[in-house]
């Protein structure tokens, strides 16, 4: 279970740098998740230097959760980069998620003026 959660966090770290820059808010968002996973700051920072393993998410609910986390991360810095938008679409497709449903989720998150993150909703 720990390796799966670590893999999800590694995927989020890789996604957060798709635009070539890690914003402070993105780092804080990722650190919030790492804390919920009981990963210490040193171990968390080490993850930025690890390769992303290819562990498929088997459960549809977990794939939807991860997509939602990535969408929140994408909007955490208040700037939507073209590379992030393309990456989230590709990720949703590779997860086998419904394209229309993911478009609606992204649209709603994008319309949200402020995202207040509660770790209770980010990590289940």
């Amino acid at each position: 279970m720990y390796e799966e959660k670590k893999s999800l966090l590694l995927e989020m770290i890789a996604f957060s740098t798709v635009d070539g820059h890690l914003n402070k808010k993105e780092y804080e968002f990722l650190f919030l998740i790492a804390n919920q996973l009981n990963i210490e700051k040193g171990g968390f920072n080490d993850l930025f230097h690890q390769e992303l393993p290819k562990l498929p998410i088997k459960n549809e609910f977990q794939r939807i959760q991860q997509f939602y986390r990535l969408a929140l991360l994408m909007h955490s810095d208040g700037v939507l980069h073209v590379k992030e938008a393309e990456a989230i679409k590709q990720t949703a497709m590779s997860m086998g998620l419904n394209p229309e449903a993911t478009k609606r989720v992204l649209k709603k998150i994008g319309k949200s003026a402020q995202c207040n993150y509660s770790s209770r909703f980010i990590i289940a």
Side-chain angles (χ1 to χ4, degrees):
M1 184 66 141
Y2 176 79
E3 287 300 316
E4 288 176 20
K5 289 183 177 183
K6 182 178 157 186
S7 176
L8 293 174
L9 186 57
L10 280 168
E11 181 181 11
M12 294 181 76
I13 288 170
F15 185 80
S16 71
T17 58
V18 75
D19 62 356
H21 178 70
L22 180 64
N23 183 286
K24 182 180 177 185
K25 287 184 180 183
E26 291 171 328
Y27 179 86
E28 290 170 351
F29 182 85
L30 291 167
F31 189 61
L32 172 73
I33 293 169
N35 281 332
Q36 290 298 310
L37 297 174
N38 296 319
I39 297 173
E40 295 178 9
K41 189 168 185 172
F44 169 68
N45 287 330
D46 288 344
L47 293 176
F48 285 88
H49 306 288
Q50 292 184 16
E51 298 240 355
L52 179 64
K54 297 293 181 192
L55 296 177
I57 305 171
K58 299 171 188 170
N59 178 310
E60 183 179 23
F61 178 72
Q62 290 173 332
R63 290 193 311 268
I64 292 167
Q65 270 188 317
Q66 182 65 356
F67 172 79
Y68 182 70
R69 290 182 196 120
L70 292 171
L72 288 175
L73 176 62
M74 181 174 75
H75 289 282
S76 68
D77 63 356
V79 178
L80 178 60
H81 298 275
V82 174
K83 289 182 181 181
E84 289 174 329
E86 286 303 315
I88 194 85
K89 289 176 188 174
Q90 289 298 321
T91 300
M93 285 177 35
S94 70
M95 289 178 164
L97 299 177
N98 180 309
E100 288 303 313
T102 57
K103 276 185 196 176
R104 286 193 306 267
V105 168
L106 292 172
K107 188 175 180 180
K108 287 185 184 243
I109 290 175
K111 284 184 178 180
S112 175
Q114 287 186 337
C115 292
N116 293 320
Y117 306 114
S118 169
S119 58
R120 176 177 75 162
F121 297 113
I122 296 169
I123 300 292

